[in-house]
Amino acid sequence: MFNLIDKVKEVNPLVLHYTNNVTITDCANATLSIGASPLMSFSYEEVEDIVKISNSVVINIGTMNSELLDLYVLAGKAANKYNKPVILDPVGVFATNARTEITNRLLNEVKFDVVRGNISEIQFLGGLNVKGKGVDSFDDGADSSEIVIEVAKKLECVVVASGKTDLISDGNILYKIQNGSAKLKYITGTGCMSTSLIGSLLPCADKAIEGAVIGTLAMSLSGELADKENPPIGTYKTLLYDNLFSLSKDVLEKYARIEIEQIN
């Protein structure tokens, strides 16, 4: 599975983003850093043509824009039509009724390969009340494995919950990634970037869960390695990109800390 980080550079997949205005540049740069090609769109007119030529589709609702809500649905349906892997990032799904409604609509009308959010967002999708403000994640370090497993079964797709321990499950197997750094939460968009990284890996993987694990690991491990000498936050962000760019199978094998649990 670790070989996917090298394979993405060989394949150079085209990753189509319908994403938010706050982190769009960071998502593009993260995609480029690991060897994929980002493509951004806010156009209804080109949905069919642009989805058809892409290798995967990322839908991120982070900046709610009433004019784009139908576009997200159209893009997701087009991805299903052309058998393109599609990933949803339901940013702040619990924050407002509008975010909850568009997320529910997307989940009802589009078949997603992966849904990725912070632990609060995934808990909310599982029907739990969450603590948080805006799109901030409330992660008290408690084990949310069962929640992630149940949401994966409910949605019939791979679910990724980022937190102190990243959790990834398809309902049959659970991966726990122990890598990471507390500094990641002080940079806007690391969650969105993780979604883009997963979108970059999905076209290279035989199974969606493998792309989700390596895409998630890429961000968490790069964040950990960037923090080795405790740099200030501006330097840290630069080092984060440097480490994303330098990731290889050898680096993953040396530093990855992953637990795997088979679910009965």
Side-chain angles (χ1 to χ4, degrees):
M1 185 166 58
F2 288 159
N3 67 317
L4 290 177
I5 202 68
D6 294 328
K7 186 176 180 181
V8 69
K9 296 177 176 64
E10 299 171 8
V11 174
N12 184 225
L14 183 62
V15 185
L16 175 58
H17 289 70
Y18 293 90
T19 191
N20 69 76
N21 292 323
V22 176
T23 65
I24 190 168
T25 301
D26 290 316
C27 290
N29 286 333
T31 302
L32 287 167
S33 292
I34 63 164
S37 293
L39 181 61
M40 276 57 183
S41 179
F42 295 111
S43 169
Y44 282 87
E45 292 79 7
E46 67 177 9
V47 170
E48 285 280 322
D49 290 339
I50 203 167
V51 170
K52 191 186 301 185
I53 65 169
S54 70
N55 295 111
S56 65
V57 178
V58 171
I59 298 176
N60 177 312
I61 68 166
T63 307
M64 283 288 286
N65 183 330
S66 299
E67 296 179 357
L68 299 179
L69 302 186
D70 289 336
L71 178 60
Y72 297 151
V73 178
L74 287 174
K77 288 182 174 180
N80 289 166
K81 175 181 177 181
Y82 294 109
N83 296 313
K84 309 293 183 176
V86 58
I87 177 171
L88 174 66
D89 193 331
V91 180
V93 58
F94 55 83
T96 66
N97 288 335
R99 289 175 186 265
T100 303
E101 289 172 3
I102 185 56
T103 299
N104 287 337
R105 183 182 171 196
L106 284 162
L107 291 173
N108 285 328
E109 297 188 35
V110 178
K111 179 66 177 75
F112 288 95
D113 295 271
V114 180
V115 173
R116 193 221 71 85
N118 62 45
I119 191 58
S120 295
E121 291 156 353
I122 300 305
Q123 287 175 340
F124 185 84
L125 293 180
L128 298 180
N129 292 324
V130 300
K131 299 178 182 178
K133 53 185 185 300
V135 299
D136 293 350
S137 171
F138 178 81
D139 183 6
D140 61 5
D143 190 347
S144 299
S145 298
E146 290 302 320
I147 295 170
V148 174
I149 293 167
E150 290 307 312
V151 175
K153 290 179 179 178
K154 173 185 174 182
L155 300 182
E156 297 181 333
C157 71
V158 175
V159 170
V160 179
S162 60
K164 293 179 180 178
T165 297
D166 298 320
L167 304 171
I168 303 101
S169 181
D170 60 0
N172 298 307
I173 193 168
L174 175 72
Y175 290 83
K176 295 183 178 181
I177 298 175
Q178 306 289 351
N179 299 96
S181 165
K183 281 198 176 79
L184 285 170
K185 67 181 180 181
Y186 294 106
I187 297 176
T188 297
T190 52
C192 299
M193 291 159 66
S194 293
T195 301
S196 295
L197 293 172
I198 293 171
S200 301
L201 270 297
L202 285 178
C204 306
D206 293 329
K207 298 179 180 179
I209 194 165
E210 295 178 352
V213 169
I214 299 304
T216 303
L217 176 62
M219 175 56 67
S220 295
L221 178 54
S222 295
E224 179 179 304
L225 295 175
D227 200 21
K228 287 177 67 175
E229 297 184 8
N230 192 29
I233 199 66
T235 303
Y236 176 76
K237 184 175 182 180
T238 300
L239 291 171
L240 176 63
Y241 281 119
D242 289 348
N243 279 280
L244 279 172
F245 184 78
S246 301
L247 284 180
S248 65
K249 179 183 177 183
D250 290 342
V251 172
L252 297 189
E253 289 178 340
K254 182 176 181 180
Y255 294 107
R257 300 192 303 280
I258 302 177
E259 297 177 16
I260 305 173
E261 297 179 13
Q262 194 68 42
I263 300 162
N264 296 326

